[in-house]
Amino acid sequence: MDMNKTVCTCYGVTIGDLKEAIENGAGSFDEVQEITNVSTACGSCEEYARNVVEELLKEQES
């Protein structure tokens, strides 16, 4: 995954930002959302953001 890829253009949240939130203890999409504000403005990125967070959480479990 490209850690510099923007997931949420409203807040400029990247995949790297999502990963950092998970590395710092976020264990769910809601927790990642609380830390990063991803998909809290217009919401158009929510499905993609959820998929990325799910993938990152799976990677961390491995």
Side-chain angles (χ1 to χ4, degrees):
M1 257 188 265
D2 177 1
M3 294 299 136
N4 295 315
K5 182 174 182 181
T6 301
V7 176
C8 175
T9 55
C10 293
Y11 288 106
V13 180
T14 65
I15 292 175
D17 295 326
L18 301 178
K19 183 174 181 162
E20 184 178 338
I22 291 167
E23 288 172 349
N24 289 325
S28 68
F29 177 76
D30 290 339
E31 290 174 357
V32 170
Q33 192 175 47
E34 199 172 294
I35 294 166
T36 64
N37 286 323
V38 68
S39 79
T40 59
C42 78
S44 67
C45 66
E46 185 171 350
E47 183 179 353
Y48 178 60
R50 283 185 181 275
N51 290 336
V52 171
V53 168
E54 185 178 309
E55 189 67 32
L56 292 169
L57 287 168
K58 283 180 188 174
E59 282 179 15
Q60 188 171 23
E61 290 174 6
S62 301

